[in-house]
Amino acid sequence: MFGSCFPPVSARINTFLWALIFLTTFGLCSELKVRVRLADGQITEEVLEADSEKDSITLEFKQEDGTLITFVADFKQHVKIFRALILGELERGQSQYQALCFISHLNHNEFIPSESMARLRQKNPQSIRTAEERRGLDQLTMNVAVNLSQAWQLSSHIHNMCSEAREAIYTRERDVKHWLERGVEGSVFEILPQSVDVVPVLLSCRSTRDVWQPCSCSFSLRLEWYPCLLKYCRNRDTTGKGSPYKCGIKSCSKGYQFTYYVPHKQLCLWDEET
């Protein structure tokens, strides 16, 4: 549960019950480490960073299989970036790790503002957090590749985030249309081969036996805990008039499934039948 830095006296009585509180900060950047319970019951540590000057937030954690997930919400450009660093299977000819980046439009009110995130502080760092609301799964078809050298037109964060992915930076056609309408150059994007013409029958990688055949790969992740909404309380004065103040946040969990073209299954060995 979260609270405001300077709530009314009546609210301060319950301060000792709050797990997390807002504090007034003079710095533009902040970091918060939160222990989170994953769906399989294991515990991981999320690192949340907020930069109110750049108007962005970053969330990073390690999945149970060792995959490092980094998420950035760029509020200035209304762009969200997901990066996955996946440990390779050396015995099957893969490199030490594989980098993927997925980029999409950031909708209004998906996350709390960076300024509010920068004021979050944790009173009991050892507590294990579980999201108050478990939101549905977003299934995203990422059928367009993004040119890293031109990606600054979408967000200044992409180059640093996705430089290791380079040939594996993806977005959706519907987001491309949105950005083109706002003046982004077409050279930023390249339509990926689909089932028509280039690949007569594009199977899912899960159904493909030959590791050197092209296929449709799926990668899933879940942001298990993040502040998704500000809560407001109302303080009444002696005349009965109420004035709202920030008194906490609501935490959410949300899953994402990305589907995209790969030139051969060797780049998607995690997506196999079990």
Side-chain angles (χ1 to χ4, degrees):
M1 188 175 179
F2 292 76
S4 175
C5 180
F6 299 114
V9 174
S10 60
R12 288 202 296 268
I13 295 174
N14 293 321
T15 300
F16 70 97
L17 296 176
W18 296 345
L20 300 172
I21 62 175
F22 278 108
L23 292 177
T24 300
T25 57
F26 297 97
L28 294 172
C29 300
S30 70
E31 179 182 278
L32 184 69
K33 295 182 179 180
V34 180
R35 299 182 72 206
V36 177
R37 189 181 302 279
L38 299 175
D40 64 354
Q42 295 192 44
I43 308 301
T44 191
E45 182 180 77
E46 284 187 0
V47 179
L48 295 93
E49 296 180 353
D51 188 330
S52 56
E53 183 178 30
K54 293 182 178 179
D55 200 10
S56 66
I57 61 173
T58 302
L59 187 157
E60 188 169 82
F61 66 97
K62 188 175 289 187
Q63 293 185 157
E64 60 271 19
D65 63 357
T67 298
L68 182 66
I69 301 295
T70 307
F71 168 80
V72 169
D74 179 349
F75 294 102
K76 279 188 177 180
Q77 296 296 104
H78 306 289
V79 169
K80 54 188 176 187
I81 309 163
F82 300 85
R83 183 188 66 188
L85 297 180
I86 306 165
L87 295 177
E89 298 185 41
L90 301 181
E91 69 279 5
R92 300 180 67 179
Q94 288 190 321
S95 57
Q96 188 173 4
Y97 67 89
Q98 183 178 344
L100 301 173
C101 265
F102 304 103
I103 302 168
S104 62
H105 176 67
L106 176 65
N107 296 315
H108 184 61
N109 285 338
E110 285 191 66
F111 300 85
I112 68 171
S114 60
E115 184 178 349
S116 297
M117 183 80 82
R119 293 194 174 104
L120 290 180
R121 291 295 182 271
Q122 188 169 198
K123 193 171 184 181
N124 186 359
Q126 298 307 311
S127 293
I128 299 172
R129 312 294 172 191
T130 302
E132 297 171 65
E133 179 184 340
R134 192 172 178 86
R135 294 184 170 178
L137 176 71
D138 274 3
Q139 295 180 310
L140 309 173
T141 300
M142 313 300 279
N143 49 6
V144 179
V146 176
N147 182 345
L148 179 63
S149 65
Q150 298 293 318
W152 56 267
Q153 296 183 49
L154 302 179
S155 170
S156 60
H157 297 273
I158 295 175
H159 190 271
N160 288 337
M161 278 275 290
C162 302
S163 58
E164 293 171 295
R166 190 166 291 276
E167 302 298 328
I169 308 173
Y170 306 99
T171 189
R172 297 184 297 175
E173 194 168 357
R174 61 182 291 184
D175 288 327
V176 170
K177 291 178 181 178
H178 170 82
W179 289 320
L180 291 176
E181 290 172 356
R182 282 154 179 76
V184 174
E185 296 177 6
S187 59
V188 177
F189 311 106
E190 178 185 350
I191 302 297
L192 291 169
Q194 300 299 307
S195 58
V196 180
D197 298 331
V198 179
V199 185
V201 180
L202 186 66
L203 299 175
S204 68
C205 292
R206 183 176 293 266
S207 303
T208 302
R209 299 286 184 182
D210 187 348
V211 296
W212 301 112
Q213 284 294 314
C215 54
S216 178
C217 184
S218 288
F219 180 80
S220 298
L221 63 87
R222 174 168 285 275
L223 303 182
E224 286 290 352
W225 189 97
Y226 65 92
C228 56
L229 191 68
L230 291 174
K231 292 180 179 178
Y232 288 85
C233 298
R234 187 170 291 274
N235 178 41
R236 296 192 178 278
D237 57 24
T238 54
T239 65
K241 293 182 178 180
S243 57
Y245 63 93
K246 296 175 185 177
C247 59
I249 63 103
K250 180 179 182 179
S251 60
C252 290
S253 169
K254 186 164 183 61
Y256 300 85
Q257 183 182 65
F258 304 98
T259 302
Y260 58 98
Y261 169 88
V262 290
H264 47 80
K265 182 179 176 175
Q266 183 73 3
L267 296 172
C268 187
L269 293 182
W270 59 83
D271 191 13
E272 293 185 312
E273 292 181 341
T274 56

